[in-house]
């Protein structure tokens, strides 16, 4: 387990389609643990493998108020519905925040670290976070979906000054 350096835009690894994981081995388990350590260190709610320079279809995201960690290996989107505009950020764009339209519901299939295939449904911000991370695995970055950039002053007004 280790905190890795976060790759920032622009970088080739961030804009490429990542490869499927063919075998869940020690390397993949370590990757999941490194992703977690790196996400926590940088106070993110999700992170994808290319963001630590590993072009594999692996990502994690924290869900709900409990911030339960969801590990996604080879995730695929089965279904989406709805649409909502909300503010996003990304660890690979340290100073960029803005409005992105995403579905309000998503159903995915993915593999966990034990190699079990699971299905998961999520809504609201959880759905947004999952879809943001899966986009990373296809080399799609949130800046390409930005409707409007939100300034740090606006963010401070929206969420209040945090001490
Ligand atoms: Co991101």
């Amino acid at each position: 387990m280790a905190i890795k350096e976060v790759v920032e835009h622009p970088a080739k690894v961030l804009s490429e389609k990542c490869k499927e994981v063919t075998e869940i081995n020690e390397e993949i388990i370590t990757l999941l643990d490194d992703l977690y350590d790196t996400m926590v260190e940088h106070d993110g709610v999700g992170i994808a493998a290319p963001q630590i320079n590993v072009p594999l279809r692996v990502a994690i995201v924290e869900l709900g108020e409990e911030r339960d960690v969801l590990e996604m290996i080879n995730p695929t989107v089965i279904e989406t519905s709805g649409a909502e505009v909300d503010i996003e950020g990304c660890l690979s764009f340290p100073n960029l925040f803005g409005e992105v339209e995403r579905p309000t519901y998503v159903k995915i299939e993915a593999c966990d670290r034990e190699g079990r295939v699971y299905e998961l449904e999520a809504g609201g911000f959880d759905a947004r976070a999952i879809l943001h991370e899966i986009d990373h695995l296809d080399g799609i970055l949130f800046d390409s979906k930005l409707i409007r950039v939100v300034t740090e002053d606006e963010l401070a007004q929206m969420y209040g000054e945090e001490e």
Side-chain angles (χ1 to χ4, degrees), residues 46-48 51 88-93 102 132-133 136 140-142:
I47 189 168
Q51 292 182 278
E88 290 186 19
C90 179
L91 294 178
S92 295
F93 294 82
R102 300 269 185 195
H132 176 117
E133 297 315 328
H136 272 295
I140 299 166
L141 301 173
F142 92 122

Side-chain angles (χ1 to χ4, degrees), residues 17-125:
K17 199 171 162 69
C18 295
K19 289 200 177 71
E20 293 267 331
V21 172
T22 52
E23 185 199 352
I24 297 168
N25 51 25
E26 274 305 306
E27 194 184 320
I28 299 301
I29 303 302
T30 301
L31 171 61
L32 285 165
D33 293 339
D34 289 348
L35 283 169
Y36 181 76
D37 290 346
T38 307
M39 178 181 72
V40 169
E41 171 69 15
H42 295 276
D43 211 17
V45 295
I47 189 168
Q51 292 182 278
I52 58 168
N53 207 26
V54 179
L56 289 175
R57 302 188 76 78
V58 177
I60 64 170
V61 59
E62 287 187 331
L63 298 182
E65 295 198 352
E66 305 296 316
R67 303 186 78 176
D68 292 321
V69 178
L70 178 71
E71 297 181 335
M72 301 182 284
I73 299 168
N74 298 336
T76 55
V77 175
I78 296 171
E79 195 184 331
T80 62
S81 66
E84 188 174 51
V85 173
D86 206 343
I87 296 169
E88 290 186 19
C90 179
L91 294 178
S92 295
F93 294 82
N95 299 306
L96 183 64
F97 298 90
E99 292 177 342
V100 176
E101 185 176 296
R102 300 269 185 195
T104 52
Y105 164 86
V106 66
K107 184 178 185 179
I108 63 156
E109 186 180 278
C111 237
D112 68 14
R113 65 167 61 207
E114 322 288 346
R116 289 181 297 232
V117 176
Y118 66 86
E119 277 189 7
L120 180 110
E121 295 176 287
F125 200 82

